[in-house]
Amino acid sequence: MLLIECPWCGERAETEFSYGGEAGIARPADPDALGDAEWADYLFNRSNPRGAHRELWNHAQGCRRWFGVERDTVTYRISGSFRLSGGVGKRED
Amino acid sequence: MQPQRLPAGGRIDRSKPISFRFDGRKLEGYAGDTLASALLANGVSIVGRSFKLRRPRGIVGSGAEEPNAIMQIGKGAHAQPNLRATQVELYNGLVARTTKGWPGARFDIGAINDLFGKVFSAGFYYKTFMRPKSWWRLYERIIRASAGFGRAPTEKDPDRYEHRNAHCDVLVAGGGPAGLAAALVAGQAGARVILADAQNEFGGSLLGTKHSIGDARADEWIARTVEQLAALDNVTLLPRSTVFGYYDHNFLAIAERCTDHLPEEERTGVRQRLWRVRAKQVVLAQGAFERPLAFCNNDRPGVMLASAVSRYIRRYAVRPGKRAVVFTNNDSAYETAIDLAEAGAAVVIVDSRMGGAGSVAERAANAGISMLTGHIVTDVVGRRRVRGVRVAGWSGNPSYLVESSIRIECDLLAMSGGWSPAVHLHSQAGGSNEWDTDRLCFVPGAATQANVSAGACNGMWSLRDCLREGMESGRAAASRCGFDAADVDLPTTRQGHDNPPQPLWRVPADAEPERCPKQFLDFQNDTSVADIRLAVREGYRNVEHVKRYTALGFGTDQGKLGNIIGMAVLAECLGKSIPEVGTTTFRPAFTPVSFGVGAGENVGDLYDPVRKTAIHEWHVAAGAPMENVGQWHRPWYFPRDGEDLHAAVARECLAARQSLGIMDASTLGKIDARGRDVVEFLERVYTHNVGKMKVGRCAYGIMLGEDGMVLDDGVMARLGEEHFYLTTTTGGAANVLAWLESWLQTEWPELEVFLTSLTDHFSTIAVVGPNSRKVLEKVGCSIDLGKDGFPFMTVKEAELGGYPVQLFRVSFSGELAFEINIDSGYALAMWETVMAAGEEYGITPYGTESMHVLRAEKGFVIVGQDTDGSVTPVDLGMNWLLSKDKDYLGKRSLARPDCVRSDRKQLVGLLSSDNSTVLPEGTQLVEVPDAPVPVPMCGHVTSSYMSACLGHPIALALVAGGRVRKGETVYAAMPGREPLPVTIAAPVFYDPKGERQHV
């Protein structure tokens, strides 16, 4: 069971969190301007890397804040958590 | 009357005799015995039957590796199936049953299988039970019956189990010499330590041995060390506790058996406890497993691991045989020979190595033991018990056939094929293993988590190395947690063994493995050398595939006994090295754990929380059966005078349509949304034009996922310029809130919107029917409830019967209706007030079933019943809800090519041609009733009820291109009867113009 650091609450067990997929996928500003392939890329395609992966987690059973985590998809080692900010995108700073 | 018990010695308490039953026989042992040692003391040699061939089997090992002595322990509901007798402590009144063999292990009818052993080769089940295909159900029944091990009790488990979370600096798994040393050093340095060991007492392999450590005997050293540990407040000692799982981020699971060792009538409190431990550092000191050797008939009762023989003699004062042969490829088994000789047995050592052993050989010679070096045991004589062995000279070439010219009479064969470190937890943690060509075993490679292996677990065989590694790892682990350990002198101990082991796995015989008696690798599953060779001949190459084809390592011992030699045999067949073949994956649990400890307290009422509305007790008192909707318990229907569901629902529906019904709708998800940007936010998540709603107006709204599929629906109301009230489906409440929060936090943090769940704070009472206005007026309402004063789809604050309420003019039935939103503390009083006032109108409470019928008559969908995550609002005919003036989540997806296909499944109504059949929900619809199988399907039924007010059944369905097919006939395919013609209709069956709700 992963030990995840919520930037607001500190380290907590994985069971307190829910997973939100890859970070940094911003919603297109004007979806209607996109072709089907581009929209499908936003909708369905993820990088699914072997190794470092920046992803979204929600402290669902705690403060309910969303934040980012960088996790290695092979070793599951977490190198750090980060807050989301800036005002645009399901993305990091 | 314990014929094999030695007159003195051991760690048993002879002043405490213990009586127990084994397959009905009354036997006696002593306190300190395991079930296995007591059985051996009583001369019991057959403890089970093998899985496939039903060969008689005896005790082989002394711990977790035991494949044969698998027992059902205990009585009635307390019984536990499939325990290893080697790990069961003896207690007064213990009842043990063998789990294999019928009528019993001593005489088993299935033993006839052994005569046809050639037939039962690898892949036997796959090859044999394929045809005819239709017979599989019969085959399965017979196979399952004959495959049985233990039987789970059928009664409810009366015992208590518990989960406990713990954190520590250093977790030490295994309390042998290395583990004790590690725990002591780390504990004395001040680190918080948990030391867990599977046995009843700490000491591991040291228990009962003659070793000296410094100035103390082994048992004294153990006692002193445990005393020192117990005195430390920062150390938690967990005996009878198996560390069985090593998960991510140094999270480990320990199963503690608290009362299993006590007589059943003396057990109180928690029976087993699951420790969920997050450790900063982990020291793995679980020791090593001795390996068997694969010679012919190596499974006969009386063939045992050498280390097990030593343990039974030293720790339990049981001598498993009087005339023993010790067959080995390494030095360690010489100690067993010496133990046997000291216990008064006649002993011959057969050592495969030309050069024999190192210094230990001299001690063996002094003990009067004869030694045959450069020889191997090729076969065992005797069926129900070893009577002798055949021995051949051997040059060391594995492919040679040999000639067994020597026969030695004996009643015990102690074998040692070398040792394999217990790398299980290290591997579970993600660590690799490396093959060590000198020590002939896999040793832990680089660790991927904060763990280190110490002692035999790391391939260290000598006591001195185990103590040294224990101390070093304990100190290093403590130091990584910020604690400085003092220097401790390594006590003096005897030298280890010096001559290296010889690679020997499959022992050459007088014939090829296919033509000689079976050479077993996995005793429990009857996997032999010939099976591995067959698998390779049939094309299997990967060790994981060979495992699954031959069942190697599939037993309850999970390959602890036979896996390594099995892999070595596979490597030989493939012409590869052992590390090239590799091991199968090590997965939790290290040893089996009970379902009880897995469930812990989460059983019965604590399994899942139950949510009840504020009016729940009234429904119960009214005799309503409950329906589970998520965690909610909702009244299903309110039967009167012995009515069944259908009669009650018909009456309830007619009452709501003709006069007055009342329903508890409190489980609706309720979200308060407010803030500067709330309109902008809701515009982005709802499909309709939220901004155009006037304050006081309600609207039906739907939300889509970004894929364009319907996510949830509900009525939303504008309570102020910057204040909305949203309702969701009962099941979707939590998800919708999370969905909205995720967009606010991750994508649109610039929007200032506050969301608050009100689901439990407010209760909702739906008052439904032509007389609903009259009853509320009678209760006494502060506002004008008339058609013009309070029109359809509006909301008003009001006082109703003296209670402050929020009153909605909305309808989920198509009738004139009001929904009363009221603080949950007043809900029951309001319900009772309306009930009393409605008496003159025959007010009828109704439950979820009638609610469904009423809404289906109107063609209102239930998200999650009429939709399934692949349905767009266009499919549902809700184009009118889709704003063209703005973007909203999912809008772009509605223009994807797949979403604009004209043959998508669309919502329609269905009418049964016989006017009487209520189609089962989920029924598949086909175009041609007698088309050849597989029949193409054109849709399915999503909702289906008998409509009392229409007098015929109605159904909603999703049908390919259905919207333009009204009046056409398709066929409903139902098991066991002829396909029924059904007519496609509009999905609104009742009051299609919606006039009744507008009065």
Side-chain angles (χ1 to χ4, degrees), chain B residues 312-330:
Chain B
Y312 288 116
I313 293 173
R314 291 286 160 202
R315 185 166 169 193
Y316 302 104
V318 174
R319 187 186 59 195
K322 291 190 181 69
R323 296 168 59 85
V325 169
V326 175
F327 177 28
T328 184
N329 67 347
N330 67 84

PDB file of all heavy atoms in Angstrom, chain B residues 312-330:
ATOM      1  N   TYR B 312      13.228 -32.645  15.242  1.00  0.00           N
ATOM      2  CA  TYR B 312      12.368 -33.508  16.045  1.00  0.00           C
ATOM      3  C   TYR B 312      13.164 -34.134  17.187  1.00  0.00           C
ATOM      4  O   TYR B 312      12.675 -34.253  18.306  1.00  0.00           O
ATOM      5  CB  TYR B 312      11.689 -34.568  15.172  1.00  0.00           C
ATOM      6  CG  TYR B 312      10.614 -33.959  14.290  1.00  0.00           C
ATOM      7  CD1 TYR B 312      10.707 -33.972  12.907  1.00  0.00           C
ATOM      8  CD2 TYR B 312       9.518 -33.318  14.877  1.00  0.00           C
ATOM      9  CE1 TYR B 312       9.737 -33.380  12.117  1.00  0.00           C
ATOM     10  CE2 TYR B 312       8.553 -32.724  14.088  1.00  0.00           C
ATOM     11  CZ  TYR B 312       8.670 -32.752  12.706  1.00  0.00           C
ATOM     12  OH  TYR B 312       7.717 -32.139  11.931  1.00  0.00           O
ATOM     13  N   ILE B 313      14.409 -34.504  16.912  1.00  0.00           N
ATOM     14  CA  ILE B 313      15.223 -35.123  17.971  1.00  0.00           C
ATOM     15  C   ILE B 313      15.558 -34.093  19.039  1.00  0.00           C
ATOM     16  O   ILE B 313      15.319 -34.305  20.226  1.00  0.00           O
ATOM     17  CB  ILE B 313      16.521 -35.708  17.367  1.00  0.00           C
ATOM     18  CG1 ILE B 313      16.193 -36.880  16.445  1.00  0.00           C
ATOM     19  CG2 ILE B 313      17.476 -36.132  18.480  1.00  0.00           C
ATOM     20  CD1 ILE B 313      17.395 -37.413  15.674  1.00  0.00           C
ATOM     21  N   ARG B 314      16.102 -32.946  18.623  1.00  0.00           N
ATOM     22  CA  ARG B 314      16.654 -31.988  19.583  1.00  0.00           C
ATOM     23  C   ARG B 314      15.576 -31.196  20.307  1.00  0.00           C
ATOM     24  O   ARG B 314      15.649 -30.967  21.495  1.00  0.00           O
ATOM     25  CB  ARG B 314      17.595 -31.021  18.856  1.00  0.00           C
ATOM     26  CG  ARG B 314      18.859 -31.651  18.352  1.00  0.00           C
ATOM     27  CD  ARG B 314      19.796 -31.911  19.517  1.00  0.00           C
ATOM     28  NE  ARG B 314      20.795 -32.923  19.178  1.00  0.00           N
ATOM     29  CZ  ARG B 314      21.456 -33.634  20.079  1.00  0.00           C
ATOM     30  NH1 ARG B 314      21.200 -33.470  21.365  1.00  0.00           N
ATOM     31  NH2 ARG B 314      22.358 -34.509  19.709  1.00  0.00           N
ATOM     32  N   ARG B 315      14.601 -30.750  19.549  1.00  0.00           N
ATOM     33  CA  ARG B 315      13.627 -29.844  20.169  1.00  0.00           C
ATOM     34  C   ARG B 315      12.467 -30.606  20.807  1.00  0.00           C
ATOM     35  O   ARG B 315      11.901 -30.159  21.801  1.00  0.00           O
ATOM     36  CB  ARG B 315      13.103 -28.868  19.106  1.00  0.00           C
ATOM     37  CG  ARG B 315      12.186 -27.818  19.702  1.00  0.00           C
ATOM     38  CD  ARG B 315      11.946 -26.680  18.751  1.00  0.00           C
ATOM     39  NE  ARG B 315      10.867 -25.847  19.266  1.00  0.00           N
ATOM     40  CZ  ARG B 315      10.246 -24.925  18.567  1.00  0.00           C
ATOM     41  NH1 ARG B 315      10.616 -24.691  17.320  1.00  0.00           N
ATOM     42  NH2 ARG B 315       9.268 -24.218  19.106  1.00  0.00           N
ATOM     43  N   TYR B 316      12.102 -31.728  20.201  1.00  0.00           N
ATOM     44  CA  TYR B 316      10.888 -32.415  20.674  1.00  0.00           C
ATOM     45  C   TYR B 316      11.178 -33.781  21.277  1.00  0.00           C
ATOM     46  O   TYR B 316      10.253 -34.475  21.698  1.00  0.00           O
ATOM     47  CB  TYR B 316       9.892 -32.566  19.530  1.00  0.00           C
ATOM     48  CG  TYR B 316       9.499 -31.243  18.915  1.00  0.00           C
ATOM     49  CD1 TYR B 316      10.009 -30.845  17.685  1.00  0.00           C
ATOM     50  CD2 TYR B 316       8.633 -30.378  19.591  1.00  0.00           C
ATOM     51  CE1 TYR B 316       9.663 -29.631  17.129  1.00  0.00           C
ATOM     52  CE2 TYR B 316       8.283 -29.154  19.038  1.00  0.00           C
ATOM     53  CZ  TYR B 316       8.803 -28.787  17.803  1.00  0.00           C
ATOM     54  OH  TYR B 316       8.450 -27.585  17.262  1.00  0.00           O
ATOM     55  N   ALA B 317      12.469 -34.170  21.312  1.00  0.00           N
ATOM     56  CA  ALA B 317      12.847 -35.478  21.868  1.00  0.00           C
ATOM     57  C   ALA B 317      12.064 -36.611  21.206  1.00  0.00           C
ATOM     58  O   ALA B 317      11.562 -37.522  21.858  1.00  0.00           O
ATOM     59  CB  ALA B 317      12.658 -35.506  23.386  1.00  0.00           C
ATOM     60  N   VAL B 318      11.953 -36.529  19.898  1.00  0.00           N
ATOM     61  CA  VAL B 318      11.296 -37.589  19.127  1.00  0.00           C
ATOM     62  C   VAL B 318      12.312 -38.117  18.118  1.00  0.00           C
ATOM     63  O   VAL B 318      12.935 -37.347  17.396  1.00  0.00           O
ATOM     64  CB  VAL B 318      10.065 -37.046  18.368  1.00  0.00           C
ATOM     65  CG1 VAL B 318       9.499 -38.118  17.456  1.00  0.00           C
ATOM     66  CG2 VAL B 318       9.008 -36.553  19.341  1.00  0.00           C
ATOM     67  N   ARG B 319      12.496 -39.412  18.106  1.00  0.00           N
ATOM     68  CA  ARG B 319      13.410 -40.003  17.136  1.00  0.00           C
ATOM     69  C   ARG B 319      12.587 -40.666  16.039  1.00  0.00           C
ATOM     70  O   ARG B 319      11.949 -41.696  16.271  1.00  0.00           O
ATOM     71  CB  ARG B 319      14.309 -41.041  17.824  1.00  0.00           C
ATOM     72  CG  ARG B 319      15.410 -41.597  16.925  1.00  0.00           C
ATOM     73  CD  ARG B 319      16.150 -42.696  17.611  1.00  0.00           C
ATOM     74  NE  ARG B 319      15.214 -43.774  17.973  1.00  0.00           N
ATOM     75  CZ  ARG B 319      15.501 -44.737  18.826  1.00  0.00           C
ATOM     76  NH1 ARG B 319      16.668 -44.768  19.440  1.00  0.00           N
ATOM     77  NH2 ARG B 319      14.610 -45.688  19.095  1.00  0.00           N
ATOM     78  N   PRO B 320      12.585 -40.082  14.852  1.00  0.00           N
ATOM     79  CA  PRO B 320      11.655 -40.576  13.812  1.00  0.00           C
ATOM     80  C   PRO B 320      12.020 -41.944  13.249  1.00  0.00           C
ATOM     81  O   PRO B 320      11.261 -42.473  12.452  1.00  0.00           O
ATOM     82  CB  PRO B 320      11.735 -39.506  12.718  1.00  0.00           C
ATOM     83  CG  PRO B 320      12.373 -38.321  13.367  1.00  0.00           C
ATOM     84  CD  PRO B 320      13.272 -38.861  14.424  1.00  0.00           C
ATOM     85  N   GLY B 321      13.161 -42.523  13.625  1.00  0.00           N
ATOM     86  CA  GLY B 321      13.507 -43.852  13.123  1.00  0.00           C
ATOM     87  C   GLY B 321      14.655 -44.440  13.917  1.00  0.00           C
ATOM     88  O   GLY B 321      15.401 -43.719  14.589  1.00  0.00           O
ATOM     89  N   LYS B 322      14.781 -45.775  13.835  1.00  0.00           N
ATOM     90  CA  LYS B 322      15.845 -46.446  14.605  1.00  0.00           C
ATOM     91  C   LYS B 322      17.040 -46.763  13.731  1.00  0.00           C
ATOM     92  O   LYS B 322      18.172 -46.810  14.189  1.00  0.00           O
ATOM     93  CB  LYS B 322      15.295 -47.761  15.196  1.00  0.00           C
ATOM     94  CG  LYS B 322      14.249 -47.583  16.288  1.00  0.00           C
ATOM     95  CD  LYS B 322      13.965 -48.918  16.950  1.00  0.00           C
ATOM     96  CE  LYS B 322      12.903 -48.818  18.032  1.00  0.00           C
ATOM     97  NZ  LYS B 322      11.547 -48.545  17.466  1.00  0.00           N
ATOM     98  N   ARG B 323      16.764 -47.051  12.462  1.00  0.00           N
ATOM     99  CA  ARG B 323      17.850 -47.335  11.517  1.00  0.00           C
ATOM    100  C   ARG B 323      17.727 -46.311  10.400  1.00  0.00           C
ATOM    101  O   ARG B 323      16.759 -46.323   9.647  1.00  0.00           O
ATOM    102  CB  ARG B 323      17.718 -48.747  10.938  1.00  0.00           C
ATOM    103  CG  ARG B 323      17.872 -49.853  11.982  1.00  0.00           C
ATOM    104  CD  ARG B 323      17.444 -51.198  11.401  1.00  0.00           C
ATOM    105  NE  ARG B 323      18.228 -51.552  10.213  1.00  0.00           N
ATOM    106  CZ  ARG B 323      19.406 -52.158  10.274  1.00  0.00           C
ATOM    107  NH1 ARG B 323      19.940 -52.478  11.426  1.00  0.00           N
ATOM    108  NH2 ARG B 323      20.072 -52.456   9.175  1.00  0.00           N
ATOM    109  N   ALA B 324      18.711 -45.447  10.338  1.00  0.00           N
ATOM    110  CA  ALA B 324      18.556 -44.313   9.440  1.00  0.00           C
ATOM    111  C   ALA B 324      19.649 -44.272   8.386  1.00  0.00           C
ATOM    112  O   ALA B 324      20.797 -44.643   8.644  1.00  0.00           O
ATOM    113  CB  ALA B 324      18.571 -43.009  10.231  1.00  0.00           C
ATOM    114  N   VAL B 325      19.248 -43.857   7.184  1.00  0.00           N
ATOM    115  CA  VAL B 325      20.208 -43.490   6.155  1.00  0.00           C
ATOM    116  C   VAL B 325      20.093 -41.985   5.960  1.00  0.00           C
ATOM    117  O   VAL B 325      18.983 -41.447   5.906  1.00  0.00           O
ATOM    118  CB  VAL B 325      19.915 -44.223   4.818  1.00  0.00           C
ATOM    119  CG1 VAL B 325      20.752 -43.638   3.693  1.00  0.00           C
ATOM    120  CG2 VAL B 325      20.161 -45.706   4.978  1.00  0.00           C
ATOM    121  N   VAL B 326      21.240 -41.319   5.926  1.00  0.00           N
ATOM    122  CA  VAL B 326      21.255 -39.882   5.661  1.00  0.00           C
ATOM    123  C   VAL B 326      21.858 -39.693   4.274  1.00  0.00           C
ATOM    124  O   VAL B 326      22.995 -40.093   4.023  1.00  0.00           O
ATOM    125  CB  VAL B 326      22.083 -39.122   6.721  1.00  0.00           C
ATOM    126  CG1 VAL B 326      22.177 -37.649   6.358  1.00  0.00           C
ATOM    127  CG2 VAL B 326      21.467 -39.307   8.103  1.00  0.00           C
ATOM    128  N   PHE B 327      21.045 -39.119   3.378  1.00  0.00           N
ATOM    129  CA  PHE B 327      21.495 -38.930   1.992  1.00  0.00           C
ATOM    130  C   PHE B 327      21.692 -37.437   1.776  1.00  0.00           C
ATOM    131  O   PHE B 327      20.765 -36.652   1.958  1.00  0.00           O
ATOM    132  CB  PHE B 327      20.444 -39.506   1.039  1.00  0.00           C
ATOM    133  CG  PHE B 327      20.758 -39.301  -0.429  1.00  0.00           C
ATOM    134  CD1 PHE B 327      22.077 -39.188  -0.887  1.00  0.00           C
ATOM    135  CD2 PHE B 327      19.733 -39.241  -1.360  1.00  0.00           C
ATOM    136  CE1 PHE B 327      22.357 -39.014  -2.228  1.00  0.00           C
ATOM    137  CE2 PHE B 327      20.006 -39.062  -2.716  1.00  0.00           C
ATOM    138  CZ  PHE B 327      21.317 -38.947  -3.148  1.00  0.00           C
ATOM    139  N   THR B 328      22.908 -37.052   1.359  1.00  0.00           N
ATOM    140  CA  THR B 328      23.201 -35.622   1.297  1.00  0.00           C
ATOM    141  C   THR B 328      24.153 -35.289   0.163  1.00  0.00           C
ATOM    142  O   THR B 328      24.872 -36.161  -0.341  1.00  0.00           O
ATOM    143  CB  THR B 328      23.799 -35.136   2.637  1.00  0.00           C
ATOM    144  OG1 THR B 328      23.986 -33.722   2.592  1.00  0.00           O
ATOM    145  CG2 THR B 328      25.140 -35.809   2.909  1.00  0.00           C
ATOM    146  N   ASN B 329      24.123 -34.015  -0.215  1.00  0.00           N
ATOM    147  CA  ASN B 329      25.114 -33.483  -1.160  1.00  0.00           C
ATOM    148  C   ASN B 329      25.903 -32.360  -0.495  1.00  0.00           C
ATOM    149  O   ASN B 329      26.549 -31.575  -1.147  1.00  0.00           O
ATOM    150  CB  ASN B 329      24.427 -32.976  -2.434  1.00  0.00           C
ATOM    151  CG  ASN B 329      23.559 -31.759  -2.165  1.00  0.00           C
ATOM    152  OD1 ASN B 329      23.267 -31.427  -1.013  1.00  0.00           O
ATOM    153  ND2 ASN B 329      23.133 -31.089  -3.236  1.00  0.00           N
ATOM    154  N   ASN B 330      25.769 -32.247   0.851  1.00  0.00           N
ATOM    155  CA  ASN B 330      26.426 -31.131   1.539  1.00  0.00           C
ATOM    156  C   ASN B 330      26.759 -31.530   2.968  1.00  0.00           C
ATOM    157  O   ASN B 330      26.412 -32.624   3.428  1.00  0.00           O
ATOM    158  CB  ASN B 330      25.520 -29.897   1.506  1.00  0.00           C
ATOM    159  CG  ASN B 330      24.264 -30.107   2.332  1.00  0.00           C
ATOM    160  OD1 ASN B 330      24.260 -29.916   3.544  1.00  0.00           O
ATOM    161  ND2 ASN B 330      23.182 -30.567   1.679  1.00  0.00           N
TER     162      ASN B 330
END
